[in-house]
Amino acid sequence: MSLQESCSPIMEQLIFFHDHSFLIILMITILVTYIMTSLFTNKIINRFILEHQMIETIWTIIPGVILIFIALPSLRLLYLLDETKNPSITLKTVGHQWYWSYEYSDFLNIEFDSFMIPTTDNLTSDFRLLEVNNRTILPFKTQIRLLVTAADVLHSWTVPSLGVKVDANPGRLNQMSFYMTRPGIFFGQCSEICGSVHSFMPIVIESISKSSFIHWLSTN
C-alpha cells in the first residue's frame, strides 16, 4: 500500500504484481470471513456426516487455480529481473563496512567512494541519514548493467523506486540490469545487516540526461 513511485519498467511490473496478489488475497479473506461467520450464526447442523467428496474436491481445486494465477506473473517477473540485454553502461558497486564504492569501468576507470553525510553537516534541504558526499550519476532512458560485490561482509544494494535489490557477497560478482525512465534523485540503503553501522550506508542515484552525463564524465 505504501510502495515508492516507480521510475523503471521493472518497478512498474512489481507494483502491478503486488496489486494483483493483494486483490486475490483480499477476495480470499472476504470469502473465508463470510463462510466462518455463516457457520457460527446459522442453525443448520448434521451430526452424522462423515465425509463429502464433492466439497473436498472443490476446496482442493480452487486453491490450486488461485496459486496458478499468482505463480504465472511471478515467474514472468523473475525472468524479467534476471534479463540483461545489450547494456550501454556498466556500473560496478563494492560494499564496504560502511560505505559504497563505485567504478565506471567503461570510462577510463572513474572510481569514487560514497559516504553518508553526518546529520550535523546536513543542509536544510537534505534528507537525514540519506544524503551522501558523492552521488552515483547515471543517464535515464539507458540500459544499465549493475555488477555488485563486497570487500568484507554481506551487504545488499537496494533502491526501491528502481525495483533493484542485489546481494553483495565477498568473492562473488552478482549482476542485474535496470532502465530509468525519468530524471530525478532516487534513494536506497543497504538491506543486509552488515555490522554496527549498517543503517548508515545509504545509496543515492542521480538520474540525468545523456548530454549532462557526458559532460559529467568529461569533468571527472
Side-chain angles (χ1 to χ4, degrees):
M1 297 296 289
S2 58
L3 297 173
Q4 292 187 16
E5 185 180 353
S6 67
C7 68
S8 71
I10 288 296
M11 189 58 190
E12 289 179 6
Q13 293 295 318
L14 287 170
I15 292 174
F16 291 152
F17 176 68
H18 168 269
D19 295 342
H20 169 78
S21 303
F22 186 80
L23 183 61
I24 293 175
I25 293 169
L26 184 63
M27 292 170 62
I28 293 171
T29 304
I30 293 172
L31 177 62
V32 172
T33 304
Y34 169 75
I35 293 173
M36 291 181 66
T37 305
S38 64
L39 286 174
F40 282 117
T41 55
N42 70 46
K43 297 181 180 180
I44 301 172
I45 60 171
N46 189 338
R47 293 179 297 160
F48 304 104
I49 191 168
L50 296 177
E51 61 177 335
H52 197 298
Q53 294 292 339
M54 181 62 70
I55 292 177
E56 292 185 4
T57 302
I58 291 172
W59 70 38
T60 301
I61 292 175
I62 290 178
V65 173
I66 293 172
L67 287 175
I68 290 172
F69 275 96
I70 295 176
L72 290 179
S74 176
L75 290 171
R76 174 177 169 272
L77 258 179
L78 285 174
Y79 280 107
L80 286 175
L81 287 169
D82 288 337
E83 187 176 1
T84 304
K85 292 180 63 177
N86 302 322
S88 301
I89 298 172
T90 298
L91 174 69
K92 184 179 179 183
T93 304
V94 183
H96 303 266
Q97 290 181 310
W98 287 273
Y99 64 95
W100 297 98
S101 61
Y102 298 94
E103 300 177 14
Y104 294 78
S105 53
D106 295 330
F107 306 101
L108 302 177
N109 293 322
I110 297 176
E111 302 178 14
F112 58 85
D113 297 329
S114 181
F115 291 86
M116 187 193 77
I117 297 177
T119 305
T120 53
D121 297 336
N122 278 154
L123 301 175
T124 308
S125 58
D126 290 344
F127 290 101
R128 179 177 175 272
L129 304 182
L130 286 177
E131 293 291 346
V132 295
N133 61 344
N134 288 312
R135 292 176 174 175
T136 308
I137 310 297
L138 291 170
F140 63 91
K141 293 187 177 179
T142 303
Q143 193 70 36
I144 298 165
R145 178 174 60 179
L146 181 69
L147 302 176
V148 182
T149 187
D152 35 48
V153 299
L154 293 176
H155 301 276
S156 185
W157 197 88
T158 306
V159 182
S161 56
L162 294 176
V164 176
K165 183 179 186 294
V166 188
D167 290 337
N169 302 320
R172 179 172 177 173
L173 208 59
N174 288 330
Q175 175 178 280
M176 193 172 187
S177 68
F178 60 91
Y179 180 93
M180 296 182 291
T181 56
R182 58 186 172 86
I185 299 173
F186 311 111
F187 296 93
Q189 288 178 303
C190 177
S191 298
E192 186 75 35
I193 296 176
C194 55
S196 59
V197 199
H198 156 69
S199 301
F200 305 102
M201 48 184 302
I203 302 159
V204 181
I205 303 293
E206 185 171 345
S207 175
I208 59 177
S209 64
K210 293 179 182 178
S211 58
S212 299
F213 178 71
I214 294 171
H215 176 71
W216 177 79
L217 288 175
S218 62
T219 57
N220 285 274

